[in-house]
C-alpha cells in the first residue's frame, strides 16, 4: 500500500496494542518489559493480550515488521517520485529517511536497539528489510557516480553511513526543539550530499 | 591520565566488576538486568556486589562515567597530537572517535541506549561529557571554516552529525568483518570531510 505523501508520514499506523507495546519496549527495553506491563499499557488483561499475540517475541516481530514495511513503502514512494535522475533520487531517499526518523522515533529506537532480542528468524527478516532499504540508497549513489554527479569510491559504505546518519536523528530530535523538520532535512541533505561527493552548488 | 596511544585504545580499563555489568546491560538492557545476574557475571555474591556499588544505578553511573572519561582523554590526545592545523585536528578527532567505537562497542551501545535509564543527575553529567566531546569537534570545524579549508554553514549540526556517524560504527563493526580498522577509518574520514565541505584532493 503506497503512502499518500512520503513527506508527511502522518499518524502512526500501528494497531493500538502494538503502539502500547512499543512504548513499553522504548521505556524499559524488551527484556525489562513484562507481558503484564504491556497488557496494562494496552488496556487488556494478560489473556486478552495473548489472544492477540502468542508471545512477547511475536509482539516484537509485529512491531519491527510493521515499522520496516512502512519505511520501505515510504522510501519506494520517495524514490519513484524523483523519476530517474540519480541526484534527485538520492535527495528524496535521504529526505524520506530523515522525516521518517523524526516521525517514528520510538520505532527507530526499538528496531535498532532490540535486534539483540530478536529470535534468529525475526532478526534475519529485519536485517533483510534494512538491507533492501540501504540497497535503494546504494543504487542511487551508484547511478550518480556513473552519471558523474557524485564522486564516491565506496558506495555500499556510503549508503550505510548516510542511512546511519538519518537514523541517528531519531536519537536527538524533539518536536519542540530549535530546528524545524524542514531545516533538519535541508542540513542533513547537505551533509549527505557531501558524503557522496556531490558537485557543490 | 593521557593514553599512551589514542590510535590503539588497548585493553578495556574498566574494573572487572563493571566490565561484567556492562556485558549484562548490553545483553539484557538495564531494566532487564537483575543485580543477581550482574553479581553472577562478576563472580560475586549479591552482598559482595553491593559492597562495591550501592545500587544498579551506581553501576550504570560508574560505567558511563569511566567510558566517557576515557573517550574524552583519547579525543584530547588526538587533537593535541595534530597541533593547530584545523584539518589535521578534525581528521584526528574523527579517527579517534571511529577507532574508539570499534574498540568499545558494548560501552557505546549501553552509554547511548541507556540514557533513558539514567537518573537525572547521572544523565546530566553524561550529556555534559558528550557535549564537551562534540564541542571539540565543532571548534575544529569552525577553525577550518575560518581558515578556508572547510565550507560548512552549520558547524554545531555538522559536529553532531559527524559524531553520530562515528558512534554508529559500533552498531555494525565486527572484528572478523570484511574491512580492517584502517580501511574503516579511511572511508569514514572521507565521509566526514565531505560533510564539512573539505577541499577535495
Amino acid at each position: 500500500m503506497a503512502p499518500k505523501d512520503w513527506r508527511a508520514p502522518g499518524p502512526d499506523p500501528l494497531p493500538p496494542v502494538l503502539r502500547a507495546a512499543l512504548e513499553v519496549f522504548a521505556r524499559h527495553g524488551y527484556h525489562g518489559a513484562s507481558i503484564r506491563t504491556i497488557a496494562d499499557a494496552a488496556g487488556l488483561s494478560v489473556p486478552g493480550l495473548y489472544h492477540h499475540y502468542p508471545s512477547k517475541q511475536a509482539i516484537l516481530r509485529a512491531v519491527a515488521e510493521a515499522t520496516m514495511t512502512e519505511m520501505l513503502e515510504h522510501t519506494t514512494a520517495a524514490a519513484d517520485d524523483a523519476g530517474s535522475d540519480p541526484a534527485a533520487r538520492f535527495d528524496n531517499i535521504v529526505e524520506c529517511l530523515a522525516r521518517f526518523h523524526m516521525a517514528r522515533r520510538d520505532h527507530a529506537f526499538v528496531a535498532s536497539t532490540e535486534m539483540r532480542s530478536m529470535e534468529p528468524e525475526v532478526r534475519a527478516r529485519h536485517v533483510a528489510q534494512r538491507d533492501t532499504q540501504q540497497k535503494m540508497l546504494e543504487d542511487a549513489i551508484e547511478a550518480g557516480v556513473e552519471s558523474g554527479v557524485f564522486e564516491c569510491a565506496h558506495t555500499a559504505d556510503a549508503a550505510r553511513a548516510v542511512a546511519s546518519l538519518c537514523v541517528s536523528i531519531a536519537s536527538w530530535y524533539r518536536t519542540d526543539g530549535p530546528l524545524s523538520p524542514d531545516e533538519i532535512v535541508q542540513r542533513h541533505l547537505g551533509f549527505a550530499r557531501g558524503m557522496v561527493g556531490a558537485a557543490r552548488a
Side-chain angles (χ1 to χ4, degrees), chain A residues 86 135 137-147 150 155-156:
Chain A
K135 189 67 172 60
L137 206 43
E138 189 185 344
D139 288 346
I141 298 170
E142 274 184 359
V145 170
E146 274 164 33
S147 72
F150 295 158
T155 55

Side-chain angles (χ1 to χ4, degrees), chain A residues 158-179:
Chain A
R160 176 170 56 195
V162 169
S164 295
L165 176 66
C166 294
V167 170
S168 75
I169 295 173
S171 71
W172 55 262
Y173 174 70
R174 299 292 176 271
T175 49
D176 59 354
L179 295 178

Side-chain angles (χ1 to χ4, degrees), chain A residues 4-5 18 34 63 74 86 89 95 97-99 110 130-131 142 147 165 167 186 198 201:
Chain A
K4 280 201 201 74
D5 180 3
L18 293 183
S34 71
V63 166
H74 283 245
R89 283 178 80 85
E95 175 172 355
L97 282 179
R99 291 195 189 277
V110 170
R130 186 202 60 192
D131 288 353
E142 274 184 359
S147 72
L165 176 66
V167 170
Q186 285 312 312

Side-chain angles (χ1 to χ4, degrees), chain A residues 62-145:
Chain A
V63 166
E65 171 91 25
T67 299
M68 295 303 277
T69 300
E70 191 194 12
M71 189 173 76
L72 284 172
E73 286 169 357
H74 283 245
T75 311
T76 305
D80 288 352
D81 221 17
S84 60
D85 179 65
R89 283 178 80 85
F90 177 78
D91 279 3
N92 272 19
I93 296 172
V94 170
E95 175 172 355
C96 177
L97 282 179
R99 291 195 189 277
F100 189 83
H101 284 88
M102 287 186 258
R104 303 283 184 265
R105 294 183 56 227
D106 284 351
H107 307 58
F109 181 78
V110 170
S112 64
T113 58
E114 296 299 355
M115 280 182 59
R116 63 180 167 190
S117 307
M118 293 175 189
E119 287 172 3
E121 179 211 344
V122 176
R123 187 184 165 110
R125 168 83 180 138
H126 184 73
V127 169
Q129 288 184 296
R130 186 202 60 192
D131 288 353
T132 300
Q133 159 72 64
Q134 282 188 21
K135 189 67 172 60
M136 293 178 68
L137 206 43
E138 189 185 344
D139 288 346
I141 298 170
E142 274 184 359
V145 170

Side-chain angles (χ1 to χ4, degrees), chain A residues 21 27 38 41 62 75 88 98 110 138 148-149 180:
Chain A
R27 202 160 54 242
I38 297 170
T75 311
V110 170
E138 189 185 344
V149 296
S180 71

